[in-house]
Amino acid sequence: EAGVAQSPRYKIIEKRQSVAFWCNPISGHATLYWYQQILGQGPKLLIQFQNNGVVDDSQLPKDRFSAERLKGVDSTLKIQPAKLEDSAVYLCASSLAAQSGTDTQYFGPGTRLTVL
Amino acid sequence: GDSVTQMEGPVTLSEEAFLTINCTYTATGYPSLFWYVQYPGEGLQLLLKATKADDKGSNKGFEATYRKETTSFHLEKGSVQVSDSAVYFCALDNFNKFYFGSGTKLNVKP
């Protein structure tokens, strides 16, 4: 079965520019997650979708970050405008259903963002 | 708030040595606990998990026991291999909120 796909794999932008990341979860997975992983730290959950609805976006910096999953399948995460501290790897993960503790999250390879 | 603390790395071991990577957590209620592994150049993948106190998760020779009394979930392996070299992340899921530790890099020398 195909895994979680993400693109692009790498992106370099200047501060104040905009950037968008794309994620295609495993087919049939209802739940989709976006994480931010800063170098030397563990992943931090930004937003969680159940189908096309938001379950948790409490750690999403909403003044500059936005995400959508319009048809309940693939998703985009946007940063506008980017800051230097946004340099990180952005990970997408999906799971079959949002059942606490019983579901396995499958991670994509990530998008490495560098903001200059 | 909820959090996960794991030992800092890197941890460097010789092949066939015993491995322990410490992980402790802070959480209200009864979270599920996980170990994820990230091999060089690859994405995160689930290594093992435990969903309630005293459960032992195991996979690929790795084990971890959910200890509620000490709020710990230490990862162990009796004999490591060079192929185990990776970054290991401890994580918890509490009411569908996920928290990861900062990761511990393991280097295994032949």
Side-chain angles (χ1 to χ4, degrees):
Chain A
E1 117 187 315
V4 177
Q6 289 188 248
S7 67
R9 292 293 309 275
Y10 305 91
K11 190 73 177 178
I12 301 174
I13 61 173
E14 295 190 349
K15 59 184 179 183
R16 291 188 289 274
Q17 285 188 322
S18 301
V19 64
F21 313 126
W22 174 82
C23 171
N24 192 20
I26 292 172
S27 177
H29 280 196
T31 307
L32 185 147
Y33 312 79
W34 282 104
Y35 290 87
Q36 179 193 59
Q37 185 177 14
I38 293 172
L39 187 64
Q41 299 181 19
K44 182 183 85 171
L45 181 66
L46 293 176
I47 189 167
Q48 177 182 344
F49 292 94
Q50 172 78 4
N51 296 308
N52 60 349
V54 175
V55 173
D56 181 7
D57 63 357
S58 57
Q59 299 194 89
L60 187 74
K62 297 180 186 63
D63 57 334
R64 298 183 300 106
F65 286 64
S66 64
E68 59 184 14
R69 192 185 185 200
L70 291 176
K71 297 182 180 178
V73 181
D74 55 353
S75 175
T76 55
L77 175 69
K78 296 179 182 177
I79 308 175
Q80 181 179 7
K83 294 185 175 181
L84 296 177
E85 58 261 35
D86 298 332
S87 294
V89 176
Y90 290 85
L91 298 167
C92 181
S94 70
S95 65
L96 199 57
Q99 296 190 32
S100 180
T102 63
D103 238 6
T104 297
Q105 293 187 50
Y106 296 86
F107 284 82
T111 296
R112 183 177 297 277
L113 173 68
T114 302
V115 182
L116 302 175
Chain B
D2 294 359
S3 65
V4 176
T5 303
Q6 59 183 107
M7 63 188 287
E8 289 190 18
V11 174
T12 301
L13 296 173
S14 297
E15 210 165 20
E16 298 182 4
F18 184 86
L19 168 72
T20 300
I21 300 178
N22 290 337
C23 171
T24 57
Y25 68 90
T26 301
T28 56
Y30 303 94
S32 295
L33 302 174
F34 305 83
W35 277 100
Y36 281 83
V37 59
Q38 187 169 31
Y39 298 103
E42 298 184 17
L44 279 162
Q45 52 186 279
L46 179 66
L47 180 60
L48 54 84
K49 68 179 182 183
T51 58
K52 61 183 188 296
D54 300 325
D55 266 4
K56 178 185 284 188
S58 61
N59 185 25
K60 299 182 181 180
F62 291 89
E63 293 183 340
T65 301
Y66 189 140
R67 302 283 188 202
K68 189 161 179 62
E69 64 275 15
T70 54
T71 62
S72 65
F73 193 55
H74 305 320
L75 183 68
E76 297 182 337
K77 186 173 185 182
S79 175
V80 293
Q81 305 300 312
V82 172
S83 57
D84 294 327
S85 296
V87 181
Y88 292 81
F89 292 90
C90 186
L92 71 81
D93 168 16
N94 201 11
F95 298 107
N96 270 348
K97 290 187 181 291
F98 293 89
Y99 301 88
F100 283 81
S102 56
T104 303
K105 185 173 184 179
L106 171 65
N107 296 317
V108 181
K109 295 181 175 180

